Amino acid sequence: MAFVEAMDAWLAWASLVFCHPVSIFLQLKGCLVYLVLAAGWAYNSVVRARELHRIRAAEAAGNALAFLYPNVDDLEHSAQAKLLRVSVVMPLKGFGEHNLSNWRSQVLSMYGGPLEFLFVVESKEDPACEVILQLMRDLKGEVDAKLLVAGYSTTCSQKIHNQLAGVDAMHKDSKYVLFLDDDVQLCPGSIGALVAHMIEHPEIFVLTGYPFDLPSGSISSYCIYEYHLPCSIGFGFGRTFFLWGGCMMMHAEDFRTDRYGMVTGLREGGYSDDMTLAAVAGANQRVISSPERAIFFHPLAKDLSFSRYWNYLQKQTIVLETYNTTYNYWMNRGLFFLHCWASWSFVFPYLTSCVHLLVAMRMLMGASAELYSSWTTGLWLTGCIATATLIELSSMRHLSTVVIDLINALSPGKDPVSISSYNYVKVFVAGIVGNFLYPVSAVYSHVFQHIDWAGVQYWLGNGNICQIQRGSRRWRVVESSKSGWSTEEIHGQFPNKSTVWTLLSDLLMNQSCKLKNS
């Protein structure tokens, strides 16, 4: 009896708090976030459905290769002979569940122009090497592919180091360079569609695409699906201010000439390729674009554990701590606060709804109406939240259906993917879990300025990588007026894996060193 009275007292207090005008405002603001997402996904559905209709109409008109070119005239020999050379740079690290099928989809492109593929690893010991060599032997004579060993990065992230090594090795006549991650599953006409868009719009600085996740069934995989889907809204407008590093096509000459100092910015302490290039584009009023066809299946691993998801989330949040210009700094700070605000605005109404529903249950069990005087307001708010959530989930499902149909149409030779495999109960749970954890991860990254990326540990300082650790050896990235950026080894005992306590001790040590120097 005492427990019931204590619970009633707590629920009565919580109900009053969550029915306060300020709390009501916050809950309705969360509903607005759901509806904004629903509207964005609805618009994106229209954009993708329009492209799907264009393909179906071309097929009905007799163009059986509409998945490559909706305009049949583009298939003429005279048009194909004019296609420009493309170098595809693929930075690799390790070998995962879907990598081989992804690589095959990349190299077996049906692009009609000159095309070279540059697989770049950090060392010959990388597990990806043998698989890539076997793939090259299987496709000998069919594709122009090379395996490059870039060596270990010393002044930037390993991915950027591998990308720049590929740029240095690309063909001298290449007009465009396309960067692809190993988790990208291309459609046969993807490269051709990207090149056609670059030719049609020569003012484009970076052409990017959007990954559509195929969850493996675990909550962690659905969390990644839920994390990516709001980003699809930005990719649906054609022009955008951010980009996805998994697929970026750029003018090769921009790298050869180090335009805007972007190569220098990447090489000297760069961590994130896409955020750095997006900042360069923004600072110089250059165009970032994403055409309707630049969308790809992104299959997620079956063994995607929560720890791997947490590490993935940290890799996404720490990019907001990187910058190399004042513009870049303020852009990332704005994204930091906006995303944290939106994430917890998303979660808060569901926490209050739990209280409102518990209060309603107590009323049905005969609790005093005087004790729960605001229970009807709580039920009204819960109804608003549930309605907005259903609209949001319906819009999300419709977008997913359209996108899956579009990618299936762009890849007619593959087994079609079905929306029926998606579990939207897990999508709902993943939305709450992911949006709750995002601000936690963002604050964690802001405090510790550290990330473990594929076994290599990086520390940030002043927006750039300042320390790199492999195994138990750690190096400091230093800038010299004579020799440029280089590294010097830090001698000491360093654990192979960092914990909160080791990071905290590192943080205190660095702060004490700064105080001594000042």
Side-chain angles (χ1 to χ4, degrees):
M1 192 69 178
F3 171 76
V4 174
E5 291 177 355
M7 184 183 69
D8 278 337
W10 182 85
L11 279 177
W13 171 81
S15 178
L16 285 173
V17 169
F18 291 151
C19 290
H20 187 275
V22 173
S23 181
I24 291 174
F25 169 75
L26 294 175
Q27 291 169 75
L28 293 178
K29 184 182 70 173
C31 293
L32 180 62
V33 171
Y34 309 152
L35 294 177
V36 168
L37 287 172
W41 288 328
Y43 173 78
N44 201 0
S45 299
V46 172
V47 172
R48 306 298 179 181
R50 187 171 56 206
E51 182 62 25
L52 178 61
H53 175 73
R54 191 179 295 122
I55 294 172
R56 297 302 189 205
E59 290 175 341
N63 181 7
L65 297 177
F67 65 95
L68 294 178
Y69 296 100
N71 186 353
V72 70
D73 293 337
D74 292 332
L75 294 168
E76 294 288 341
H77 175 73
S78 57
Q80 294 286 301
K82 295 177 183 178
L83 290 176
L84 302 169
R85 177 178 285 275
V86 179
S87 292
V88 184
V89 177
M90 293 167 283
L92 310 180
K93 175 73 173 182
F95 179 65
E97 178 183 349
H98 299 288
N99 284 13
L100 181 57
S101 60
N102 292 341
W103 292 332
R104 291 187 69 89
S105 75
Q106 292 169 3
V107 299
L108 294 178
S109 169
M110 298 182 72
Y111 178 64
L115 191 62
E116 67 171 347
F117 297 92
L118 302 171
F119 295 94
V120 192
V121 295
E122 64 181 21
S123 72
K124 293 181 180 179
E125 286 71 39
D126 194 301
C129 284
E130 185 53 42
V131 182
I132 290 297
L133 290 172
Q134 183 59 51
L135 178 63
M136 290 166 59
R137 286 192 290 266
D138 294 342
L139 300 175
K140 187 176 181 181
E142 297 182 44
V143 297
D144 178 8
K146 301 181 182 68
L147 177 62
L148 307 177
V149 179
Y152 293 118
S153 64
T154 57
T155 61
C156 59
S157 69
Q158 188 64 50
K159 178 183 178 181
I160 289 177
H161 182 71
N162 288 8
Q163 288 174 322
L164 295 180
V167 166
D168 290 340
M170 67 182 176
H171 196 282
K172 62 181 179 63
D173 295 328
S174 288
K175 176 67 174 179
Y176 303 114
V177 55
L178 173 61
F179 298 103
L180 293 177
D181 282 356
D182 57 10
D183 54 2
V184 179
Q185 192 174 100
L186 288 189
C187 304
S190 293
I191 296 178
L194 294 174
V195 171
H197 201 76
M198 289 287 277
I199 294 173
E200 185 179 356
H201 304 280
E203 73 278 7
I204 290 175
F205 180 60
V206 186
L207 195 60
T208 187
Y210 168 71
F212 184 81
D213 297 316
L214 299 178
S216 58
S218 66
I219 286 293
S220 296
S221 66
Y222 277 100
C223 284
I224 294 179
Y225 165 77
E226 184 280 331
Y227 174 83
H228 274 152
L229 212 56
C231 299
S232 68
I233 297 172
F235 289 94
F237 288 95
R239 291 193 177 189
T240 180
F241 68 92
F242 60 96
L243 57 115
W244 174 48
C247 174
M248 302 185 299
M249 177 172 280
M250 301 182 66
H251 296 273
E253 196 61 24
D254 287 348
F255 281 90
R256 295 189 182 104
T257 59
D258 192 13
R259 194 167 191 179
Y260 308 122
M262 63 181 187
V263 175
T264 303
L266 288 167
R267 181 175 284 118
E268 297 181 350
Y271 168 79
S272 170
D273 53 334
D274 47 15
M275 292 298 285
T276 300
L277 293 172
V280 170
N284 295 279
Q285 289 78 52
R286 295 301 307 275
V287 175
I288 301 173
S289 181
S290 179
E292 294 89 343
R293 287 187 166 220
I295 188 164
F296 322 100
F297 281 139
H298 182 235
L300 300 172
K302 293 178 181 178
D303 59 347
L304 189 62
S305 62
F306 179 79
S307 60
R308 287 181 61 187
Y309 164 68
W310 175 249
N311 180 254
Y312 170 83
L313 193 59
Q314 285 183 283
K315 287 191 290 185
Q316 305 309 306
T317 56
I318 201 168
V319 298
L320 299 181
E321 302 302 317
T322 63
Y323 58 90
N324 51 19
T325 64
T326 303
Y327 175 91
N328 197 184
Y329 173 82
W330 287 112
M331 183 183 78
N332 288 357
R333 287 277 67 79
L335 289 173
F336 175 94
F337 288 110
L338 177 64
H339 204 153
C340 288
W341 168 83
S343 290
W344 275 358
S345 293
F346 184 97
V347 172
F348 181 72
Y350 295 123
L351 300 179
T352 62
S353 294
C354 292
V355 172
H356 296 323
L357 290 174
L358 285 174
V359 169
M361 290 176 62
R362 287 296 297 141
M363 290 300 298
L364 290 174
M365 294 167 65
S368 170
E370 294 182 359
L371 185 62
Y372 296 116
S373 58
S374 57
W375 75 280
T376 53
T377 303
L379 273 185
W380 176 80
L381 287 169
T382 302
C384 292
I385 293 165
T387 302
T389 298
L390 288 174
I391 294 172
E392 177 213 2
L393 288 176
S394 298
S395 182
M396 178 190 291
R397 181 178 176 82
H398 179 63
L399 172 63
S400 298
T401 302
V402 171
V403 168
I404 287 175
D405 288 344
L406 174 58
I407 303 178
N408 283 336
L410 292 171
S411 306
K414 298 179 182 177
D415 294 334
V417 175
S418 172
I419 189 66
S420 62
S421 63
Y422 281 59
N423 185 326
Y424 275 83
V425 173
K426 290 185 177 181
V427 170
F428 174 72
V429 173
I432 298 174
V433 172
N435 281 287
F436 175 79
L437 288 177
Y438 183 90
V440 176
S441 177
V443 172
Y444 181 94
S445 297
H446 179 71
V447 171
F448 292 113
Q449 304 278 297
H450 166 270
I451 186 65
D452 185 320
W453 188 356
V456 182
Q457 298 184 59
Y458 302 96
W459 283 261
L460 300 180
N462 297 320
N464 291 302
I465 291 176
C466 64
Q467 292 185 30
I468 300 175
Q469 180 175 329
R470 288 185 174 84
S472 59
R473 300 180 66 186
R474 188 180 296 184
W475 292 265
R476 181 185 293 111
V477 182
V478 295
E479 182 180 5
S480 169
S481 58
K482 294 182 179 179
S483 58
W485 287 58
S486 60
T487 56
E488 60 181 23
E489 186 167 359
I490 305 172
H491 297 286
Q493 297 296 320
F494 302 107
N496 290 335
K497 289 190 176 182
S498 293
T499 64
V500 172
W501 305 114
T502 58
L503 291 175
L504 190 58
S505 65
D506 274 345
L507 184 66
L508 293 173
M509 187 179 299
N510 290 335
Q511 291 300 322
S512 64
C513 290
K514 289 180 180 178
L515 288 174
K516 285 181 181 179
N517 293 333
S518 61

